[in-house]
Amino acid sequence: MILQVEGVGKRFGGLQALSDVTFDLPEGQILGLIGPNGAGKTTLFNCISGVYEPTDGRVTFRGEDVTGSKPYLMARRGMARTHQIVRPLNELSVRENVIVGACFGRENHRLPAAGDIADEVLEFVRLADRSDQLAGSLNVGQKKRLEMARALAARPYLLLLDEVLAGLNPSEIVMMVEIVKRIRTERNVTIIMIEHVMHAVMNVSDRLLVLDYGRQIAEGTPEEVANNEKVIEAYLGDPKLAERLMTG
Amino acid sequence: MSTVRKYLGLIVTIGVLLMLVAWPAITGKDITRETTFTILLSVALASSLNILLGYTGYVSFGHVVFFGLGGYVGFYLMSAQGMSLWISMLAGGVSAGVLAFLLGKAILRLRGGYFALATIGINEAMRAFINNFEPFGGPTGMTLNFSVYRDYGGAGQALWLSYYVLAALTFIVLIVSYLVRTSKFGLGLLAIREDEDAAEVMGVNAPNVKTWAYVLSAIIPGMLGVLFFFKNGSIEPAPAFRLHFSIEMIVMVMLGGQGTVLGPILGAYGYQSLRGFLLTSPIFKDIQLAVAGVLLLVIVLFVPAGVVGWLRQRVPVLRRALQ
Ligand SMILES: Nc1ncnc2c1ncn2[C@@H]1O[C@H](COP(=O)(O)OP(=O)(O)OP(=O)(O)O)[C@@H](O)[C@H]1O
Ligand SMILES: [Mg+2]
């Protein structure tokens, strides 16, 4: 298991944003994390990646208890993530943004080697032609790919993708889904992806985990989840929708 | 050719500084030397502050505390312990660095305005402490016995010596500034400046890196304090911890271009020229600080990138030459 989450909960003052989330993630899988707005998906990422310390429970990454660790230590250990609301380093060039990922990520590269990695990764996410532009000047779709590039440049074992498809147009979605699939096959990276674009996440994921009001209400293959009563009720709304999602 | 291109930014910066330094040496005039001394002091202080303010994005309003503390420690060693200027300067730099390290652990957790406020508080607290610290002479401070200058070839020679030592320190600051700007450590600082949380997620150990930036930005001001008060012959709490000096440093960094190597040189030169003009003008003489304040406001509102930043944005061909 690359990641084990046991009974993780997170409380913000009076709000229990996450309670008792438990799952195991085997190496090489893509786990889709879905749920309505405010369900606690991003909070779960924050608890796993060290941005927040969970109020309860335990997180184990590659056999090591990393509960409440710091984000920069998690990056070193081989966990990388993208942000739902993009966070480019605006006044740095696209290439420099990615170099930061390579320099301070798992492999801890020096600048010249990090530069080579940045070029390779930018090519991979098809941003190579934007290398020298300031990151702040990219459009939303490009910024999402920049987030992806920075995370990949860290050469992570586990990649947490927070709504990388949100705000993209249909052709960009196709491109991004392609990239996600290639990351798994070519780079051997385990992925958890939060996604609202159902057909994409159903299509890409090996397994799905469904959160609702901070609780884990279902887990299983895309077919199982799409036919789960609770999920249909909480999230998918009507059973026909689920069927349509599965087929197309 | 390619090495020249690679280091063009550094070459331009050093060239500009060399011209500044050489001027009094060529003319040999005391008055020119004194004017240039003030400018070089500003360049060195502004460039040091730039490592924190420009690269890391943390505004230190009380940076003069390192100048004052270093100055006091060094001055004490020279006047009361009979140590040489060299040892005293080292001690001044080390004590400033140690203070920055301790402060870094304590207050660099604060963000934005809170950090700036804390730095002001620290400077005022330090001034109050020194004011009551008898070994350092309390409110009246300390003076150097005139005979001390004999070791440096007499008072007249000591002035020239101070000038050349200052020039050397300024070179060192600029080289350090350039090395930081182009290093992995510097990239971490820039990432923190742009978005500290995102930088941490990417693996930048922000608490550590910020502390080292703070230490680096404090050492040279500590050494400069020793040199300045050595040349001055006496030290008192008020001039050592003068808050408006800190604010002038910020104005200079912002004017020239925060986050660039060349910016603080141009900013310090520009600001000191302006100040020289204001001080001699009957109208502005008494309100030169107000003018500094207005200048800061105008820069922040209209040219936040400063002169060098503005040029880099507007004239892409200059990017390599202006760093
Ligand atoms: N730092 C915080 N302080 C207080 N409340 C928070 C904080 N972060 C998240 N929350 C709350 O926790 C709940 C879960 O938020 P979270 O962002 O994890 O949802 P999400 O599933 O990612 O939603 P979305 O699909 O809209 O991104 C929400 O009610 C949110 O308001
Ligand atoms: Mg979210």
Side-chain angles (χ1 to χ4, degrees), chain B residues 146-265:
Chain B
F146 213 67
S147 64
V148 165
Y149 294 119
R150 235 180 285 150
D151 298 342
Y152 308 94
Q157 272 304 302
L159 291 176
W160 278 104
L161 177 74
S162 303
Y163 177 75
Y164 286 116
V165 173
L166 173 61
L169 278 179
T170 311
F171 272 107
I172 293 174
V173 180
L174 287 174
I175 291 187
V176 168
S177 177
Y178 177 82
L179 290 177
V180 169
R181 178 71 176 82
T182 51
S183 69
K184 177 174 166 178
F185 169 67
L187 185 63
L189 296 182
L190 298 178
I192 290 174
R193 178 188 76 192
E194 293 301 312
D195 185 333
E196 190 164 341
D197 293 325
E200 285 205 343
V201 164
M202 282 188 272
V204 179
N205 185 336
N208 251 340
V209 175
K210 280 190 295 187
T211 302
W212 287 115
Y214 201 30
V215 170
L216 261 186
S217 76
I219 292 176
I220 298 277
M223 299 175 80
L224 291 171
V226 183
L227 185 66
F228 180 84
F229 290 105
F230 164 78
K231 174 173 173 282
N232 199 42
S234 67
I235 188 167
E236 282 170 57
F241 300 100
R242 198 192 306 260
L243 197 58
H244 85 229
F245 201 22
S246 287
I247 294 166
E248 288 179 317
M249 285 185 221
I250 296 176
V251 176
M252 293 185 279
V253 174
M254 298 292 293
L255 175 65
Q258 51 162 322
T260 64
V261 182
L262 183 61
I265 306 184

Side-chain angles (χ1 to χ4, degrees), chain A residues 51 71-72 75-76 79 81 83 87-92 96-97 99-101 103-105 108-111 150, chain B residues 181-185 187-188 190-195 197-207 209 313 319:
Chain A
V51 174
Y72 46 85
R76 277 291 152 82
M79 191 183 289
R81 69 175 285 186
H83 297 94
R87 308 186 78 147
L89 309 173
N90 285 319
E91 297 287 314
L92 300 188
E96 284 169 322
N97 267 262
I99 290 178
V100 173
C103 268
F104 298 95
N108 194 16
H109 284 288
R110 288 160 177 277
L111 283 174
R150 288 195 315 204
Chain B
R181 178 71 176 82
T182 51
S183 69
K184 177 174 166 178
F185 169 67
L187 185 63
L190 298 178
I192 290 174
R193 178 188 76 192
E194 293 301 312
D195 185 333
D197 293 325
E200 285 205 343
V201 164
M202 282 188 272
V204 179
N205 185 336
V209 175
Q313 282 163 14
R319 259 180 217 162

